[in-house]
Amino acid sequence: YESKHNYTDFLEELKNIEVPSSLLQLHTNLVNNYLSISSGMESISSENSDSALSFAGIIGARNSIQSREGIVEDIIEVLLDNGIQN
């Protein structure tokens, strides 16, 4: 339950960040990714104890977390291409 709220809170903050046009699509992908993770977390913590729904939530959250890594790598690449370094 707590993890779902952490993702939801972060998602709200993420949606309000202004980004340059070169990052707009990746930012949208990241927002949608966090929405998928949050949805998966909600299914996992479902109060109705539906094991099939919980299992689907686990798979969905796992897949979204894995794809998030690629999105973040793409964002880093765009930043580096534009001379922004960490």
Side-chain angles (χ1 to χ4, degrees):
Y1 182 75
E2 184 66 30
S3 293
K4 184 255 182 193
H5 285 289
N6 290 339
Y7 278 102
T8 303
D9 292 344
F10 180 72
L11 178 62
E12 288 305 313
E13 291 179 26
L14 186 62
K15 288 190 316 188
N16 293 319
I17 295 174
E18 292 184 34
V19 297
S21 61
S22 60
L23 289 173
L24 188 57
Q25 185 60 53
L26 289 171
H27 180 76
T28 301
N29 293 348
L30 191 60
V31 168
N32 288 335
N33 181 271
Y34 271 95
L35 184 60
S36 293
I37 294 170
S38 178
S39 177
M41 293 294 184
E42 186 173 6
S43 295
I44 292 167
S45 66
S46 178
E47 292 181 12
N48 65 13
S49 301
D50 182 343
S51 60
L53 183 62
S54 294
F55 184 71
I58 291 169
I59 299 298
R62 184 195 65 175
N63 291 342
S64 295
I65 289 168
Q66 289 173 340
S67 68
R68 180 186 60 196
E69 293 173 16
I71 297 168
V72 170
E73 288 174 6
D74 291 344
I75 290 171
I76 291 170
E77 184 178 327
V78 170
L79 292 173
L80 292 174
D81 287 348
N82 286 287
I84 300 171
Q85 298 188 18
N86 54 5

